[in-house]
Amino acid sequence: METKSPPKHSPQAAAAAHPKTNRRLHPEVLTAQAQDILSVLLALRFINALCVRTFFQPDEYFQALEPAWTVAFGSADETGAWLTWEWQHQLRSSLHPALFGLVYKAVHSLMAFMNLFPPFQSFVLVALPKVVQSIFAALADYYTWRLATEIYGRDSNFPWAALWMTVLNPWQWYCSTRTFSNSLEATLTIAALYYWPWQLLGDARVNKDDPLQSKGSVNSLRLSLALAAVAVLLRPTNILIWIGILTLTLTRLTLDGEPPLHKTTLVTFTREILVCGTAVLALSLVSDRLYFGFWTFPPYTWLYFNISQSLAVFYGQMPWHYYLSQGLPLLTTSFLPFALVGLYKSTSTSKTLPVPQSNILKTLAFAVLTMLGALSIISHKEVRFIYPLLPILHILAAPYITSFFTEKTPLSETPTNPTPPPQQQQPQPIILRHRVFLANLLSLNILLAGYLTLYHQAAPISVLNFLRTDYERIHPDSLTLNGPATSSYELFALFLTPCHSTPWRSHLVWPGLHARALTCEPPLATAPGSVERATYLDEADRFYAKDDSGRYGVRFLDEEMWPSSTSAAALSPKWGGSGGGEKQRAGEMPRYIVGFEGIESVLKAFFEEEEAPGRDLGVKLTKVWEGWNGAFNEDWRRTGRLVVWDTGVYEGSFGSEAAGAEGSEDES
């Protein structure tokens, strides 16, 4: 009678792989332990999500939540969602926003059925994506621990070190619960690595069995391939990790032992890659067909625009060593020395490690180096592009941070109490060392995480809470997501800030809350290297472009924001005009103007000075809200506090009420 082996990742298989653990812990205890750890991580990341109150990068919102809003509530024209050029030209997969869109739809339908208070509904919808992402963040932590356990064994302290590093890493606290596609990519990657058939890296001299002979191992391979395929569709550069892993798996370059790759193994392996890849690709194509309304393949479009058309450099260029000099330090922070040692040690042959363990560590290190090397060639670089490598770096660093901060207590042996044989020995207890250094390291991590998530660039989030709640106060009859607003049209807010400085509809919520912001569309119609592209200025650039006297903004407001048939700047002698003629203004005047405090002089020069070009618009600026935006900012346009000015042209706002009260006092 044939005996079936347990699935690769079952507690029974884990116990069988580590005999000492099998004698000490029942498989049900191992399962309960894993469930308890996952529960704690879910609770921790939920708290983490609620603590993130700062703005990091626009893609968190504009590449995920804005298209998700259209999935849940209707087109961009109906909802006011801001779809950037990437979505208008099908550069992004719809799978990521579809996830949040379906959650938006389900939760809103439930709240509408319960007839909950509209401001409470908006509060829930704003917090919802972070709560959903916190689940994926917890799973990334969990699979980091599980993969480390697969590599180092349950008796080792190294998996616990990897878990503590991922929990205490400031970057994880700052970014893991944000709705970047990179955050989901990191979770998918480490989960796929956990389910990967690492038996393929074993030594045939020790075990001659086919690594993919059991149904459990094949199912594990299928799950790994499916997760990896989704990660690649979300972020095409993720394929670099799998190129590195497949290269060493198939070629065995630098690996030890004899390959266990039989002909049947290769046939099964190839078949599953084709089947799983095709299935995920079909799912993606159908999702994109439903979202865009026609058949398209975003990874190809992404490659065309970013590589062939060189549009990625429009968003910044970094030196080739950026990931080495800045990316890895920012990603690993205080754990950097241990990650570098782990990366270096893993690439060399070890005479003390078992062959399978040594080969796995070599393969993971090679995947890291492959991705770092390939992405270093590309001009546009960001730290989050290498985010999927962070769980791997934690695993590679685990042995070295453990050995640095801990040591085992020596076994005591007396004539009456001799040392027991190895099979009866209990694990030696460990003690901490370098405690002061460890306390400083952890304190630094906690301070960094706290400052970045609570204070650094907090104003772009809180200003939208102010605008949304004020809209709910002024227009209580327009708080609906199921159709156009019932109130008369008004431009509620104008953002004179660098492009995408705040979230958008995911925080403004109500479609009746009309807003306008400076745009930054790239020069799609220009050729790479052309004069037109080199001299191109987007709308935000034109607003902040300084003249010979160092002033900016006034001419843009006069000629583009509120243009007249004859430019007011040309009419005013102060601005080089003749001083004659008449003007008629176009453009909408908002209730509120939002900007960093540096533009206050620009607004006063345009609206309030004696010969101001916009003096005829009747605007009387009143500061009604301001928020601290952190201790520093590398962009001069974003320095200082974020401010909201009331223009005074609408009734019911804070500025008009203050002006009315002041007028009443004057009359009395």
Side-chain angles (χ1 to χ4, degrees), residues 22 146 179 194 203 209 355 368 588:
N22 191 33
R146 292 298 300 269
T179 53
Y194 170 70
D203 187 355
D209 294 337
V355 170
V368 171
E588 304 169 273

Side-chain angles (χ1 to χ4, degrees), residues 541-574:
D541 290 335
R542 296 196 300 275
F543 174 74
Y544 284 102
K546 296 182 179 180
D547 57 23
D548 295 337
S549 63
R551 304 187 69 170
Y552 67 90
V554 174
R555 183 169 292 275
F556 174 87
L557 297 179
D558 178 46
E559 296 179 353
E560 295 193 48
M561 188 60 64
W562 295 288
S564 59
S565 54
T566 302
S567 170
L571 295 170
S572 173
K574 180 176 180 179

